[in-house]
Amino acid sequence: MTDAAISTRKDMSERKLGMLLLLPAAVLLSLIVLYPIATLLFTSLHSVSNANPQAGEQWVGLANYARAFDDDRFWHSLWQTVLYIVITVPGALLMGLGLALLANKPFTIKWPVRLGLLLPWALPLVFCGLIFRWFFEYETGIVNDLLVRLGAEPLRWLSSPTLATIAICITIIWKSSSFMALMLLAGLQSIPKSLYEAAEVDGASKWQQFVEITLPMLRPAIFVALIFRTITAIQTFDIPYAMTGGGPGDATETLAMYIHKTTLDFLDFGYGSTLATLMFLLSLVATSGYLKYTRRSASRSGED
Amino acid sequence: MKLWKTLLTAALGVAFAANVAAQQTTLRIFTGGQQRPDVMRKIADEYTKRNPNVKVEVEVGGATSDAQQQYLSTVLSAKDSVLDLVLIDVIRPAQWAAQGWAEPLDSYLGADKGKILPTYLKAYAEANQVNGKLMALPYFADAQFLYYRKDLLEKYKRPVPKNWDDMIETARIIMDGEKAPQLQGFSTAGAPIEGTVCTYLVPLWGTGSDITKDGKLNLDTPEARQPFQLYGRMKQAGVLPKNVAEIPTDRIRVDFQAGNVVFAQSWGYFWNRVENDTDSKVKGKVGVTILPHDKGGKSATCIGGWQVAVSAYSKNKQEAVKFARYLSSPEVSKMQAIMASHLPVFPSVYKDPEVVKANPWFADALPVVETAKSRPVSAQYPQVSDAVRSNMNAYLAGTKTTDTALNDMKNRLAPLYR
Amino acid sequence: MGFNFNRKAVVWFAAIIVAVNGFFPAVWIFLTALKTETELIKSPITYLPQAPTLANFETAFTAQPILRFMWNSFVVASLSTVLCVLVSALAAYALTRLRMPYRNLIMSVLLAVAMFPLISLMVPLFKVMRELGLLNTYLALILPYAVLSLPVCTLVMASFFQDIPPDLEAAAMIDGCTRVQALFKVVIPLSAPGVFTAAILAFVNAWDEFLLALTMMSRVSMRTLSVGITLYQGEFAFPWPLISAALIIAIVPICIIIAIFQERVVGGLTSGGVKG
């Protein structure tokens, strides 16, 4: 048999094997999310009049999307969401990187540090928001307490738009930096010490070592962490919901909160589905940059 | 022969058991965590004693109206038959009627309907009827009251205020006199929650006006500005907590209980906590009365309370309606009043000696509950509520002026009242 | 000598920062659990409880079946984690190691699934579970949770798999292994930190989840922890000391699990062997 024939045979069976290995994932996905997502897209093209829901769903084509375009509240919640993304994704990355580097040091007793690293992750999200809401409370919160002790005035954190946004961002960064740190720590641990030793011998400073060795080796881990932090950031709901309920007015309302309200509170499923689809498109746009990077790096490693 | 006898007995036994089982109905009722599911459990057990073929399972949902709505919206939109009865907030019947979630009870009650409805407090008989159809039966009542520190009023020789400006003045005098930095003059709900709708509506109703008139939006009147202007005056007088826009309902009670509030606008549950909690600093010092009004107006208060609705998707509607009627009876109302201090929906129960003994303040409560008004009745109530509370909250937080807040409210409500 | 001292100080400093950052809310919750409600609104606020009481812990246990909630959460989280890690390991291997067409498309589809907000999928998802007869069973949560973490776990493991040179598998296969055996005997052990990272992510995602748990499990005996704790809340009331006690009870087991697994995540299984 020729070499070409053997390699084609190998390719074919590799393909079959690949399909087989992907089958469980495909089955799970089809079973659980295929129908809901299809329904979502379908519903976004329909509308139910809330004053007369018994009339059923009417086909409205893209009218819901047009409505979103004119909807001030939609644009504001979108803007607020983008704000949270722009602040908390890099913020969490930086803090996570810092925490991971600190946690990577040789401790004699490891577990308190590792536990401290992961505890924010372990705290149920639902309560994270409530606890930090309490921290930022006007009279009984520790943040204002510390401010007063330092001689400053207490601030109305949760009832002024700018301060509330800051408080929410601090909470989100605190919670998600744990996730980032976890991803980065695993990456840090797989960087062989020999590289650092060699660099040390060559006379590189700590900063140079960081920039030339650590960061590049961490790139895949950073990349994965960023993608998921971004997707999650787009869906920011629990923390602002618990801390301000969207207030004051609608100042801190995110797109996810607006979708939640529209779907479960107003029972406007058609418009709610439209907003959800728009959120999906936003996620696509946001991560397309990352995806281009995958293609490049995948082809690069393929050349190995 | 013996074998034959055994088999026959066994077969009869099985048939008998199967028969009994076939007649046995299990009803599932959904209640929120705050509506005293433990008391509901006792009431359900009493019902089963009288109706042995009916078993009742009490399902406990999330504590707040919103949390319950999350669950119910999903399950009922999927037309699920898992629930037979649901305890719903007084603001929900119109929405449930429009969505087709509640089974209209008229045909089940027949002639009894005309007999039962007049025995309820008027506001509840009305709140549960949508377009002439009876969508739910009242379970327990609630309303907002003005709670005050009668010891402080006595100390400064001030009468119980009947209008808002008197209340502000009294609060100011007491605050100046006591010189306690934590003391607040008047506290009410200000966070973007349902209770804040009442914060806007109560002063508005006090002027005799309302959000709608004859089914049309009625916010172009000078009265519509009153609530904002009132709270503006309160802010200037310094009697409101600085973070009023953050205050959720229970915070008012916690502050009052610690002795830090002179006047508070809150619901029925307030009394029992501030009077009976072991760590309450204001035991014996609490007075309760109707909320103030503007000079020349009439006091009004916000109605609350919970109703029993039968799910339109239930597979046991006949039995469910029977149970609902039991839950909404004077006998059960009395049980609730004694076990849970729930305000009764029957005026007659307020005068029952055992009820009065358990809740002496009910005598003061009855006239207030009788004048309680409904929040706007609408199939789209959540949107109405959202428009009102969000703008009231923004005004209290200082991010919108009266004009902006009112305009935004009008703009949001306009499409709902076309 | 001086240099060593500096290094030790830095290490201790680092340890304290990381520990404090993670622990302070937990410590705060613990202290709150020992207080009474009125003490909470004193001004200026008190940090240490003035009259510590264990009453809240007692109430936390009796007011709700919290141990049952914890057990439910544990079952659902662990089984969905196992399922997710298994399925995503297979998928990640297929996508990084085998010559497959449309690799990037498949990866993108996987990612896309994560981009839809769960709230909007609730009603149809509820219907699916109802049709399958799975409501109020563990599977009603295990399956969706596995799907929820599938994208992130696959991506994490894929990125770890990519770093392992193919020669090692080739070596194993020459020795007579099939590809799948090579996956389980060679690739996975070498990417252990990645596997355990994925496992922890999936576990905590499942542990934290609220909306699905609220909707799929209506029976109190099947409730999970994240929903169960909200049941302590009242319509108007938010009993902080009680909820804090419940939270402490809830956090302890997960802390134990993390303490056990963190060694594996950051353990030196990759030192030597591959990159040496």
Side-chain angles (χ1 to χ4, degrees):
Chain A
M1 233 188 230
T2 60
D3 274 342
I6 295 176
S7 65
T8 339
R9 257 248 230 118
K10 234 174 45 154
D11 270 357
M12 279 267 286
S13 64
E14 263 194 31
R15 208 149 46 125
K16 280 213 187 111
L17 183 63
M19 299 289 205
L20 204 65
L21 292 180
L22 282 175
L23 197 63
V27 165
L28 259 186
L29 286 176
S30 327
L31 193 66
I32 304 294
V33 292
L34 199 69
Y35 170 65
I37 291 182
T39 310
L40 182 76
L41 297 171
F42 182 76
T43 316
S44 76
L45 299 171
H46 288 71
S47 178
V48 181
S49 160
N50 261 69
N52 184 17
Q54 304 286 36
E57 288 187 336
Q58 319 277 354
W59 168 267
V60 290
L62 293 175
N64 283 334
Y65 291 88
R67 174 177 161 194
F69 192 72
D70 272 334
D71 188 353
D72 280 336
R73 197 168 173 184
F74 163 67
W75 288 110
H76 174 82
S77 65
L78 187 63
W79 163 247
Q80 196 69 16
T81 307
V82 169
L83 199 64
Y84 288 137
I85 297 173
V86 165
I87 298 179
T88 63
V89 173
L93 180 64
L94 285 173
M95 183 161 165
L97 189 59
L99 286 173
L101 288 171
L102 287 174
N104 200 26
K105 299 227 174 284
F107 302 109
T108 29
I109 316 166
K110 293 204 181 98
W111 71 263
V113 178
R114 305 281 172 67
L115 191 56
L117 193 68
L118 296 175
L119 215 51
W121 191 244
L123 200 64
L125 191 61
V126 189
F127 297 99
C128 205
L130 291 170
I131 292 165
F132 273 79
R133 165 168 152 195
W134 192 14
F135 286 166
F136 284 103
E137 231 261 335
Y138 181 70
E139 273 172 15
T140 59
I142 55 178
V143 177
N144 272 351
D145 189 56
L146 289 174
L147 281 176
V148 165
R149 279 176 205 262
L150 292 174
E153 277 287 314
L155 295 171
R156 296 188 324 161
W157 287 97
L158 299 176
S159 43
S160 60
T162 330
L163 289 178
T165 306
I166 294 178
I168 292 174
C169 285
I170 291 179
T171 312
I172 296 178
I173 290 180
W174 180 84
K175 175 89 168 86
S176 55
S177 59
S178 187
F179 164 76
M180 299 294 246
L182 178 59
M183 308 283 275
L184 296 175
L185 194 57
L188 275 178
Q189 286 282 319
S190 55
I191 302 177
K193 298 218 185 359
S194 51
L195 287 176
Y196 291 111
E197 286 158 13
E200 192 92 13
V201 164
D202 282 346
S205 71
K206 284 268 184 246
W207 178 250
Q208 278 175 313
Q209 288 177 35
F210 179 68
V211 171
E212 313 257 331
I213 302 177
T214 317
L215 280 186
M217 296 291 288
L218 272 185
R219 224 190 326 209
I222 293 181
F223 162 67
V224 173
L226 276 183
I227 284 198
F228 283 99
R229 178 81 274 275
T230 308
I231 294 180
T232 318
I234 293 175
Q235 298 184 15
T236 306
F237 172 78
D238 295 83
I239 288 183
Y241 186 71
M243 286 181 83
T244 60
D250 296 321
T252 55
E253 188 178 68
T254 62
L255 184 55
M257 290 167 78
Y258 188 33
I259 294 177
H260 179 97
K261 197 158 234 174
T262 308
T263 314
L264 289 181
D265 213 7
F266 298 168
L267 297 173
D268 195 345
F269 285 101
Y271 192 48
S273 304
T274 310
L275 294 174
T277 312
L278 286 173
M279 174 184 269
F280 165 71
L281 291 173
L282 171 67
S283 306
L284 268 185
V285 167
T287 52
S288 63
Y290 294 134
L291 291 173
K292 280 211 188 87
Y293 179 81
T294 329
R295 219 165 284 149
R296 241 189 297 138
S297 78
S299 54
R300 222 187 286 144
S301 62
E303 292 167 67
D304 261 355
Chain B
M1 194 55 188
K2 210 154 164 231
L3 180 64
W4 180 238
K5 259 200 188 159
T6 323
L7 280 175
L8 189 60
T9 322
L12 280 175
V14 167
F16 182 69
N19 204 22
V20 169
Q23 284 176 345
Q24 165 124 156
T25 320
T26 306
L27 291 177
R28 261 205 208 94
I29 180 165
F30 179 91
T31 173
Q34 179 62 9
Q35 283 74 51
R36 300 302 299 271
D38 53 324
V39 173
M40 167 81 76
R41 179 73 263 158
K42 293 205 183 88
I43 297 174
D45 288 338
E46 182 64 33
Y47 185 74
T48 304
K49 261 196 243 159
R50 304 179 191 191
N51 301 276
N53 63 325
V54 177
K55 209 169 78 118
V56 178
E57 278 180 21
V58 177
E59 256 197 39
V60 182
T64 60
S65 205
D66 285 331
Q68 293 158 35
Q69 192 62 13
Q70 270 187 343
Y71 172 72
L72 292 171
S73 290
T74 311
V75 169
L76 292 169
S77 297
K79 298 196 176 28
D80 204 81
S81 64
V82 64
L83 298 171
D84 298 292
L85 299 114
V86 183
L87 215 55
I88 57 177
D89 201 342
V90 71
I91 49 176
R92 302 261 176 221
Q95 185 188 28
W96 279 53
Q99 294 288 332
W101 290 347
E103 178 80 1
L105 302 170
D106 312 75
S107 57
Y108 296 86
L109 291 177
D112 283 347
K113 177 176 159 188
K115 276 191 254 157
I116 307 182
L117 282 183
T119 61
Y120 293 112
L121 286 163
K122 189 155 133 318
Y124 287 98
E126 284 173 4
N128 285 301
Q129 293 192 76
V130 183
N131 294 331
K133 295 217 203 109
L134 186 61
M135 304 308 302
L137 290 171
Y139 182 56
F140 70 85
D142 204 353
Q144 285 200 322
F145 302 89
L146 181 72
Y147 296 92
Y148 58 91
R149 291 280 301 278
K150 56 183 185 195
D151 59 315
L152 288 176
L153 261 65
E154 271 168 27
K155 181 169 166 189
Y156 290 85
K157 308 224 186 339
R158 301 285 303 174
V160 179
K162 291 261 178 288
N163 63 57
W164 291 107
D165 288 308
D166 282 347
M167 189 198 81
I168 297 176
E169 206 187 314
T170 305
R172 191 67 258 168
I173 293 177
I174 295 180
M175 284 171 77
D176 289 336
E178 292 289 297
K179 297 199 197 350
Q182 263 196 306
L183 190 64
Q184 301 158 4
F186 175 68
S187 187
T188 181
I193 55 172
E194 178 63 30
T196 308
V197 176
C198 298
T199 304
Y200 176 77
L201 284 176
V202 165
L204 180 63
W205 286 335
T207 67
S209 177
D210 202 343
I211 287 191
T212 58
K213 194 171 157 154
D214 303 322
K216 288 220 172 44
L217 208 54
N218 190 32
L219 290 176
D220 288 314
T221 60
E223 284 89 12
R225 308 170 65 86
Q226 291 279 50
F228 296 118
Q229 289 169 333
L230 170 68
Y231 280 90
R233 291 207 297 279
M234 287 205 224
K235 263 202 203 174
Q236 270 188 320
V239 301
L240 283 180
K242 286 211 181 55
N243 62 333
V244 62
E246 289 172 32
I247 295 194
T249 313
D250 199 47
R251 198 39 210 286
I252 308 169
R253 172 196 62 86
V254 172
D255 287 339
F256 191 94
Q257 203 162 308
N260 293 333
V261 177
V262 181
F263 293 102
Q265 175 177 340
S266 187
W267 301 90
Y269 85 108
F270 197 88
W271 174 271
N272 289 284
R273 294 298 302 271
V274 299
E275 274 290 327
N276 299 327
D277 270 11
T278 37
D279 58 356
S280 170
K281 294 205 166 66
V282 299
K283 244 190 275 254
K285 304 183 190 165
V286 185
V288 55
T289 182
I290 196 169
L291 288 161
H293 53 266
D294 265 336
K295 283 206 220 342
K298 211 170 80 125
S299 280
T301 184
C302 212
I303 200 177
W306 292 74
Q307 339 295 312
V308 185
V310 173
S311 165
Y313 311 113
S314 159
K315 296 214 166 82
N316 305 296
K317 293 198 185 124
Q318 283 284 7
E319 286 294 337
V321 176
K322 255 183 77 187
F323 184 50
R325 289 184 66 173
Y326 176 69
L327 287 174
S328 183
S329 63
E331 180 195 340
V332 170
S333 197
K334 176 170 160 173
M335 279 167 84
Q336 285 185 66
I338 296 177
M339 287 198 275
S341 301
H342 283 166
L343 287 164
V345 288
F346 300 96
S348 54
V349 178
Y350 283 84
K351 311 208 174 67
D352 184 294
E354 282 173 32
V355 168
V356 170
K357 196 161 139 222
N359 301 282
W361 72 287
F362 274 13
D364 293 325
L366 181 56
V368 178
V369 182
E370 279 178 330
T371 55
K373 288 184 68 143
S374 282
R375 281 160 271 176
V377 177
S378 162
Q380 298 173 290
Y381 181 74
Q383 279 112 308
V384 174
S385 165
D386 185 67
V388 175
R389 67 166 105 148
S390 142
N391 284 297
M392 189 66 198
N393 166 258
Y395 179 80
L396 289 173
T399 56
K400 284 193 189 171
T401 61
T402 302
D403 290 311
T404 324
L406 191 56
N407 266 332
D408 287 347
M409 202 189 293
K410 271 195 277 189
N411 288 335
R412 279 236 203 127
L413 290 174
L416 305 169
Y417 283 101
R418 232 190 303 261
Chain C
M1 183 62 178
F3 184 74
N4 272 348
F5 174 72
N6 265 349
R7 187 159 265 191
K8 242 198 167 176
V10 168
V11 167
W12 268 104
F13 179 69
I16 291 177
I17 293 205
V18 175
V20 165
N21 174 67
F23 278 108
F24 81 87
V27 169
W28 178 257
I29 298 174
F30 181 68
L31 291 174
T32 307
L34 298 172
K35 297 181 188 166
T36 63
E37 232 177 285
T38 343
E39 191 186 332
L40 290 179
I41 58 157
K42 276 209 212 323
S43 186
I45 58 179
T46 59
Y47 286 84
L48 292 174
Q50 291 179 333
T53 164
L54 288 178
N56 294 311
F57 285 100
E58 201 189 312
T59 319
F61 274 112
T62 54
Q64 304 277 352
I66 193 169
L67 291 176
R68 175 85 207 179
F69 294 159
M70 270 168 39
W71 173 251
N72 290 336
S73 279
F74 181 71
V75 168
V76 164
S78 14
L79 291 182
S80 67
T81 301
V82 168
L83 180 62
C84 180
V85 168
L86 215 67
V87 173
S88 48
L90 297 177
Y93 189 72
L95 291 172
T96 54
R97 277 303 203 243
L98 304 174
R99 262 171 295 211
M100 290 223 17
Y102 308 118
R103 262 198 302 199
N104 286 317
L105 182 62
I106 296 178
M107 192 60 104
S108 312
V109 167
L110 206 58
L111 223 61
V113 163
M115 296 185 199
F116 284 95
L118 194 57
I119 300 153
S120 306
L121 303 174
M122 284 310 298
V123 175
L125 192 54
F126 178 79
K127 282 193 196 160
V128 168
M129 286 302 163
R130 186 182 55 188
E131 297 312 312
L132 294 174
L134 293 176
L135 288 177
N136 278 311
T137 65
Y138 286 130
L139 275 178
L141 290 181
I142 292 176
L143 295 176
Y145 286 171
V147 170
L148 278 182
S149 297
L150 204 61
V152 70
C153 288
T154 310
L155 221 62
V156 164
M157 290 210 270
S159 80
F160 271 84
F161 287 178
Q162 261 168 350
D163 285 341
I164 298 179
D167 327 321
L168 290 169
E169 286 157 77
M173 288 200 295
I174 291 176
D175 281 349
C177 278
T178 66
R179 271 210 169 256
V180 180
Q181 281 178 323
L183 165 65
F184 282 98
K185 289 210 181 127
V186 177
V187 180
I188 287 191
L190 285 175
S191 3
V195 173
F196 281 102
T197 304
I200 286 195
L201 284 175
F203 189 87
V204 178
N205 271 350
W207 189 263
D208 259 6
E209 207 277 335
F210 182 79
L211 201 55
L212 280 171
L214 175 72
T215 315
M216 301 297 174
M217 305 293 213
S218 55
R219 225 167 277 156
V220 175
S221 60
M222 294 300 287
R223 282 256 153 85
T224 59
L225 201 54
S226 49
V227 175
I229 293 191
T230 63
L231 292 180
Y232 290 102
Q233 189 183 344
E235 165 83 33
F236 304 120
F238 200 86
W240 265 115
L242 179 59
I243 294 199
S244 301
L247 272 177
I248 294 288
I249 298 174
I251 284 185
V252 165
I254 203 166
C255 284
I256 296 176
I257 289 187
I258 289 181
I260 296 176
F261 277 103
Q262 51 83 22
E263 269 302 329
R264 304 297 204 104
V265 173
V266 301
L269 283 167
T270 52
S271 58
V274 182
K275 309 255 175 133

